[in-house]
Amino acid sequence: SPSIATHCLAAGFGAEAASRMKLQYYNSVEWSNECNFELSSLPTPPCCQHSDITAFLTAETRELIAELGEDPPREKLEWIILERPGALTTSAPCRNHPDRTCHFRHSFLHVAGPPCVDWSINGLCQGLSGPTTAHLLTWIALVRLVRPSVVICENVVRWPRTCVAKWLDGYTVSSTVVNNTAFGIPVERSRRYTVFVPDGTHTLARALSGRFGVEATLGRDIGPTHSYLEYLIARPGELDAELMWASTRDAAPALGPLKSTDRNAFERALVPFEHQHLAGFRKCQRGVAYTLSVNPEDRISKGKSSILHTLTAGQHLVWVDGNNVDRWISAHELLSCQGTPTYDEWL
């Protein structure tokens, strides 16, 4: 989250400098109730939480969009939201203050992740003709209205950065694709990071892309001097609970309770289909990390080239294959792998 990331950034300056920094989280926009609950539990929660970014559109704008029907042309949406004066305001209903509308304030740092479903290879793949285009255009219009000093956008690789840059006139754009396995994270999740800054104001100390860019210079290869072991901090209770579930399924071959102290416990808990899938994957993908996230008793999943999707109850285990690890890691470990402080009361 932006709050956690900024706290980590401040901590990187050292205790004395960090003590003089104060993070003020002004606004969040998130439609998911579960994510809004997580935002509320942050060490520095948002002052105002908005549930739908299209709530910033005026009533007239929403009526014009509704008149376009279920499949509105992109060009007309652009005119209605981005080119027509007065298309939106900076006020919208607030979850934290239900008795009034709250303003979306100017801030130094604006971190965003617009809907990716129309750009993800696992989504609709409709691009700017998809149903989330109105949300993307509304976000662009809001950014143009409040003019943050720095905008950081995280999204899938195919996110239309060039189109967004065209609409965000007056901003200099830098973008790169980061494969997080290069940073020691045992989950393949390539993402595009794009930074927008107003022309002539701020400059990046290091390029995002290219031979000497962030990905090329900060990533650490997993090898003899650096392994996933540096990230593994799971509690035995988490793994034991998962083993209890896995080993008691009807098709599981285990004859009794399994413990995480048994190095082969998880493989002993796999059903025959899982064994077959795992063996085939391991044969051609030795030395990578992969997840078990779909129960094969419900449906078969072929998986990606570098991630095996097979099973778990909690959908959070990852197998680290090779590098003297050869075992499963849990949700607690995944949080630590992603660089997020793991507050015990959250887990």
Side-chain angles (χ1 to χ4, degrees), residues 183-204:
F183 293 81
I185 301 175
V187 184
E188 189 276 327
R189 190 176 174 85
S190 295
R191 285 297 181 268
R192 177 173 295 282
Y193 290 87
T194 306
V195 177
F196 301 87
V197 295
D199 295 341
T201 55
H202 307 284
T203 57
L204 296 176

Side-chain angles (χ1 to χ4, degrees), residues 179-306:
N179 185 326
N180 52 358
T181 58
F183 293 81
I185 301 175
V187 184
E188 189 276 327
R189 190 176 174 85
S190 295
R191 285 297 181 268
R192 177 173 295 282
Y193 290 87
T194 306
V195 177
F196 301 87
V197 295
D199 295 341
T201 55
H202 307 284
T203 57
L204 296 176
R206 177 177 292 171
L208 291 186
S209 59
R211 181 180 177 185
F212 301 103
V214 169
E215 182 178 11
T217 56
L218 295 186
R220 296 189 296 176
D221 291 331
I222 303 300
T225 60
H226 172 66
S227 76
Y228 290 126
L229 289 173
E230 297 182 27
Y231 299 90
L232 306 185
I233 58 172
R235 296 170 179 170
E238 292 181 272
L239 300 177
D240 288 337
E242 199 70 23
L243 277 172
M244 178 63 72
W245 169 82
S247 63
T248 55
R249 294 173 298 158
D250 291 339
L255 299 178
L258 298 173
K259 292 290 185 180
S260 56
T261 52
D262 179 355
R263 185 176 182 84
N264 300 313
F266 276 97
E267 293 211 39
R268 291 173 57 196
L270 298 181
V271 298
F273 171 80
E274 296 161 1
H275 270 293
Q276 180 181 358
H277 200 170
L278 185 61
F281 185 87
R282 179 176 292 165
K283 182 177 180 180
C284 62
Q285 297 288 344
R286 180 71 184 176
V288 297
Y290 42 88
T291 63
L292 298 181
S293 59
V294 178
N295 190 337
E297 295 172 347
D298 296 331
R299 66 182 179 91
I300 296 177
S301 176
K302 296 185 181 301
K304 296 181 181 179
S305 59
S306 57

Side-chain angles (χ1 to χ4, degrees), residues 12 46 51 57 63 138 163 186 188-189 215 246 256 276 334 336 338:
S51 298
L57 298 173
E63 290 176 2
T138 303
C163 293
E188 189 276 327
R189 190 176 174 85
E215 182 178 11
Q276 180 181 358
L334 286 179
S336 68
Q338 295 169 11

